[in-house]
Amino acid sequence: MNSELAEALNRRAGRDQEARRAAQETGLAGDLLSIDADNTAWLKGIVAEHGWPGVDLVGEEGAEMAWLLAQHADREPQFQQRALELLTAAVEAGQAPRRHLAYLTDRCLVGAGEPQVYGTQYVSGPDGTGLRLHAVADPEGLDARREAVGLEPSAAYDRRMRGQE
């Protein structure tokens, strides 16, 4: 395991989460855009050098943090799509959990303006309020797909996303 890389992933993900919490509390993006841009550029370099940072390379927590940074690479959809391809291979090799693949799949689809598959992505109304689930392909099969990748039922996730749990 590359503990130095794992520590770097944890530090970067910590900054990412701090900036997101601050943005939620204040309604201001602040450093969020620059942190995302910096993290994305850094993760691109890591992926170019090592491939996807899976469990063997950075441990379970490090792999979680790599996925988080890829989730927030929205301003670079080509890289995010590449990360999805690498993550798919990592999941097949047992180097990342299937739920990571579900979230990043949905994130890429939503970014492309398409319906999501696993119901992990929410959007706010035009005025920034009214959190709602982004469109889902085949809503009737949603919970079966979620269960297949280790996600909770959509109704429970919806309550959690809206702060009702």
Side-chain angles (χ1 to χ4, degrees):
M1 185 172 113
N2 185 328
S3 57
E4 188 176 307
L5 180 55
E7 289 171 18
L9 282 161
N10 285 328
R11 274 192 312 276
R12 286 178 173 277
R15 285 184 59 219
D16 170 288
Q17 292 300 284
E18 286 173 21
R20 281 178 163 66
R21 275 191 294 278
Q24 277 185 324
E25 290 170 8
T26 65
L28 304 171
D31 295 330
L32 194 56
L33 298 178
S34 64
I35 288 171
D36 283 351
D38 183 54
N39 283 342
T40 299
W42 180 83
L43 187 59
K44 278 180 168 179
I46 296 304
V47 164
E49 182 178 344
H50 299 281
W52 185 256
V55 173
D56 286 350
L57 180 63
V58 295
E60 287 184 25
E61 187 176 4
E64 181 94 11
M65 300 306 116
W67 159 77
L68 180 75
L69 298 183
Q71 276 285 106
H72 297 153
D74 297 321
R75 287 182 173 61
E76 298 219 22
Q78 287 180 315
F79 171 69
Q80 206 171 41
Q81 188 63 45
R82 176 69 178 136
L84 179 60
E85 293 165 7
L86 293 171
L87 180 58
T88 299
V91 167
E92 290 170 4
Q95 291 298 303
R98 296 184 65 75
R99 66 183 166 76
H100 288 179
L101 186 57
Y103 275 87
L104 192 54
T105 296
D106 280 356
R107 192 74 168 224
C108 288
L109 287 168
V110 168
E114 297 180 31
Q116 60 184 322
V117 175
Y118 299 99
T120 63
Q121 302 301 299
Y122 278 67
V123 294
S124 296
D127 62 354
T129 61
L131 192 65
R132 63 179 170 76
L133 182 65
H134 188 277
V136 175
D138 180 29
E140 296 78 25
L142 178 58
D143 278 335
R145 290 190 304 276
R146 289 179 63 86
E147 182 179 3
V149 296
L151 296 176
E152 66 192 321
S154 58
Y157 184 65
D158 188 72
R159 284 190 301 275
R160 202 161 43 84
M161 288 296 295
R162 295 173 192 274
Q164 298 170 347
E165 255 185 34

